[in-house]
Amino acid sequence: MRAWARELAIGARLARSGGRGSLTRVALTAVGVALGVALLLVAASVPRMIDGRDARDAARADAASKEARQRAGDRTLLVADANWEFRDRDLRGRLLRAEGAQAPIPPGLDRLPRPGELFVSPALATLLRSKEGALLRERLPHPIAGTIGDEGLAGPAELAFYLGSDALADAGARRIDRFGADVEPEGLDPVLQALAVVVLTALLVPVAVFIAAAVRFGGEARDRRLAALRLLGADMRMTRRIAAGEALVAALLGLLLGGLLFLLVRGLARDVTLWDLSVFPADVTPSVPLAAAVALGVPAAAVLVTLVALRGVTVEPLGLVRRAAPRRRRLWWRLALPAAGALLLLPLVGAGDAASGSGGEAQLAAGVVLVLVGIAALLPWLVEAVVRRLGGGGVAWQLATRRLQLDSGASARVVSGIAVAVAGAIALQTTFSGVEGDYVTGREASGDAVADVWLADDGGGRLGGGAERLAAALRESAGVRGALAVEQLEASHGTASEIVRVADCATLQAVVPVGRCADGDAFLLDGMTSLRPGARVRLGDAVAWTVPRDARVVDFPGTEPAQGAVRSIPDPVLATPGALAGVAVPPRTLLASVTLDETTPDAIEHVRNAVARLDPTADVFTMGDRSYRRQYATLRRALFAGAVAVLALIGASMLVGGLEQLRERRRPLAVLAAFGTPQSAIARSILWQTAIPVALGLALSVLAGAGLGAALLRMVGAPVSLDLGSIAGLTAAGAAVVLLVTAASLPALRRTMRPEGLRTE
Amino acid sequence: MSASEPLLAAQGLRKAFGQSTALDGASIAVAAGEVVAVMGPSGSGKSTLLHCLAGIVRPDEGRVSYRGRDLTACDDAALSALRRGEFGFVFQFGQLVPELSCVENVALPLRLDGASRRDAERRARTWLERLEVGELAAKTPGQISGGQGQRVAIARALATEPCVLFADEPTGALDSLNGEHVMRLLREAAHDSGAAVVLVTHEPRVAAWSDREVVVRDGRTRTTAPVAS
Ligand SMILES: Nc1ncnc2c1ncn2[C@@H]1O[C@H](COP(=O)(O)OP(=O)(O)OP(=O)(O)O)[C@@H](O)[C@H]1O
Ligand SMILES: [Mg+2]
């Protein structure tokens, strides 16, 4: 034990005093480890980021209490939602009206807004001031009285506002006496949760691979130095521990640097918005057990990797370093991993729904992890097996293949990282696009964009007037081809209730061919209602109405999908305003469907503005379930960004490895230059040397990723189709990495091939 | 080219690296098929002279002509092509590409010159045999000795049948017995293929294998009488 410690210490000292070359290597390794550690720490902060967001979201919850309806009092507040969209972003808006002096104040505000006063989030304030936000400014023309503090926001980039209102009334609002909810916020959908496990694996395995590669940066030169130690009488075991000590120093340094880098990233968090996701720096805090795992795991892994790597190397006293008789990589255990993963996944494919059993998710996660890790294990074998059979070709090809044959391990290990990331990415992209496909079809069926508008009307005014006003406002809005608006009343009879649609004849006829129609007429859709002419019903809470005795039963020819709710969901009872003459006007809902001219920019924003002018709490929907789709889209983009980041990381380590190789071959390269070898030939050999393993890695990962994606799709019960776009995209990214790595090594190559390289060292 | 005109000639070469002057008016002439030894103490500018003659380094002043062509006026591509086609090189050590086998190393310049792989390797093998290292063809440089490596390097330099072979301390890393052997092989092989040799060395025993000696001192050349052999 004492000897151990001593030898580790010698290694540590060597790392410090080994001259400039040694310092460079330690620095390289430290920087590599630091990058990996910073990424790990960010990943370790994810739980806290989600928790912080959820906690703040719960603290500002303003759902009405479930108990008996509250009475207006000194401590009550009326709240109505004004959740809008602007371009592709969500706005969380609330209209507030205090009913007493003790009304609760939402988190992040120091007082309640007075009527007409606006409190906005900093991001919304910025947007409103900007040119881009001019259109939104029309929707929020109120004076800004203050900003919402961090504790009242989900994230720094959230667009949110509180608007004081004196028009808010009992009917269209919730009455609350406090903010905050005890209810558990609903987490990710279980299928999404399982997918998130895949995302994390796909991103973290490459980081681990990268750290392992970084620990071996400069390995050859270190071996040479170790040979010198052997000459001084160190035995094989001692040299190994000395090497481990050196790696430990670099890893600890990397840990430190990584921590600093993480703090730096954390400080920048406020300014970085990945699409709709943004986090407060304070939320980017790793959970203690995970941070401890990183702090202990990384140095331990560094030592372990060094020891394992040295197993295949014989360091001889005479400075000669020869690979111990190269052991063929064994196939069986490398195949066992993905095979076990496939075995775990297969039964789930039959099951149809992965989310059903609670054990199912764990099994899914384990299967996916095994398959992905299996790729990392399989790839070095594959590269070795393929490279051994490569021959022929030009000088550049020969140099590249020979170099790979001499030691394919280094590049294969690094490429394993790419392969895992790409396989995971393709699997998920395939799954996402398969699931997403369901939403998109409806929209594509009609060439036009359609939006539906819903707003509650408190019942004031004349029946039919609300729809007319709404339709007129919509038609005036820029980029609107047409708008149909109707009013809906709820009619109950006994325990059943049905919707009565009120609109003028022209509007009714545009939806259902009712034939001859005059004000005062009413119609019943055949087969869709149990009401008969002359039936007595209650409208709303109390108003009595008799279905006119001359109401005609008409056929509804069938729905045309994607034409908007007014057309596609016809209500079973249709009435012209005259048919309800003499009835006290009950509360009703206005429904309108708008056809947009998609060539007009921001047509939908103009519609939203027009609607918000009538009623800020109105809902405007475009086709498709956006919020659900967006969850997928966010994961998808996060994944693509992660995959690209991993590719860049792997590219960096390939570059470092390549540069080291160039340094090692300085003399032979300079001599080749003297012989008149064109630089382009050597450059091409570097290209091939990078491209061959990457191509193999991509091929393997496309296969595995597509298979995994297909299996995941089968589990969700969606039709299996390959997402060729993402396969092409990631393949292109892989090719770009190869080109970039080659291009980045060219300056070093040019330097190496100068005559100075001929001078003795 | 007239008989009197030398194959390779340099006049008044000057070359400085920053503060230190490597060549200070050196001149030399090499006739076809001739072996010229360039001698002198360490740091006197021998290697720099060789590099200038071979078009690897451009002199600050002076002129290098090969077959009447001014090398100092050629661009890099032309110089590379010239070196590929007409010159060969042997250095002190570490010049073989470690991942290629010996025969592939020797075949490399031939392939760069456009020969097919099979043809290049066949010719490479005969050169390895002439230098008595035919049995090493399939080994990599890491698996052979220093003297064997020098012989492979000479085979590689001569494989393209160059008109001039530049050798910078080719035996510098070998013991004297091995050095003698390598010099004999080099001399014979160069003679057989009619190549002129510019041989940089500071060892008289090595210089004894030359036809003529040129001494460099402080960047200036002094020619001595042909060696009687
Ligand atoms: N690339 C260079 N950069 C800086 N100085 C150089 C360079 N090449 C040569 N020199 C300098 O020029 C002088 C001559 O160097 P050169 O290598 O030609 O000597 P040499 O006679 O070959 O010596 P040796 O017998 O030790 O090989 C030396 O002082 C050397 O330091
Ligand atoms: Mg020299």
Side-chain angles (χ1 to χ4, degrees), chain A residues 756 759-760, chain B residues 17-18 20-22 40-49 168-169 200 202:
Chain A
E756 279 77 38
R759 288 159 52 80
T760 47
Chain B
F17 296 99
S20 77
T21 306
S42 187
S44 56
K46 305 183 294 293
S47 297
T48 309
L49 175 62
D168 193 349
E169 313 262 14
V200 168
H202 56 260

Side-chain angles (χ1 to χ4, degrees), chain A residues 639-661:
Chain A
L639 181 77
F640 195 80
V644 169
V646 166
L647 279 174
L649 209 62
I650 299 292
S653 68
M654 293 189 90
L655 181 61
V656 170
L659 292 182
E660 192 193 336
Q661 240 176 26

Side-chain angles (χ1 to χ4, degrees), chain B residues 15-225:
Chain B
K15 178 79 190 174
F17 296 99
Q19 295 294 338
S20 77
T21 306
L23 290 180
D24 189 13
S27 301
I28 190 172
V30 181
E34 181 188 27
V35 179
V36 179
V38 177
M39 296 201 54
S42 187
S44 56
K46 305 183 294 293
S47 297
T48 309
L49 175 62
L50 179 135
H51 292 163
C52 287
L53 287 175
I56 296 172
V57 162
R58 216 175 274 281
D60 300 334
E61 267 176 49
R63 188 186 136 92
V64 180
S65 65
Y66 173 71
R67 291 189 194 277
R69 189 167 150 206
D70 184 7
L71 294 194
T72 51
C74 291
D75 66 0
D76 189 61
L79 287 175
S80 287
L82 184 72
R83 293 202 300 267
R84 212 156 49 229
E86 316 245 336
F87 296 167
F89 296 89
V90 182
F91 296 95
Q92 191 170 349
F93 66 92
Q95 48 198 316
L96 299 176
V97 182
E99 54 267 14
L100 296 184
S101 69
C102 290
V103 66
E104 285 166 344
N105 259 294
V106 177
L108 195 61
L110 293 169
R111 299 192 63 202
L112 288 172
D113 228 13
S116 79
R117 184 180 181 135
R118 278 186 55 192
D119 183 41
E121 292 192 359
R122 190 183 46 71
R123 278 156 67 192
R125 257 171 231 284
T126 59
W127 275 102
L128 283 174
E129 261 144 39
R130 274 171 81 172
L131 286 145
E132 301 172 4
V133 283
E135 74 283 1
L136 301 180
K139 299 215 158 144
T140 57
Q143 297 167 317
I144 62 178
S145 78
Q148 291 169 331
Q150 283 311 89
R151 281 183 264 167
V152 174
I154 292 168
R156 180 171 73 173
L158 290 172
T160 51
E161 307 192 351
C163 298
V164 187
L165 175 66
F166 293 96
D168 193 349
E169 313 262 14
T171 63
L174 304 179
D175 61 59
S176 55
L177 206 66
N178 241 316
E180 290 283 307
H181 190 53
V182 165
M183 272 317 298
R184 189 170 48 76
L185 288 171
L186 186 149
R187 162 110 222 185
E188 281 169 6
H191 187 264
D192 290 352
S193 64
V197 179
V198 178
L199 171 67
V200 168
T201 182
H202 56 260
E203 288 179 73
R205 288 175 62 136
V206 174
W209 289 96
S210 66
D211 301 322
R212 187 159 68 83
E213 288 176 13
V214 173
V215 175
V216 183
R217 191 153 274 146
D218 295 333
R220 273 188 285 270
T221 45
R222 205 151 38 79
T223 313
T224 60

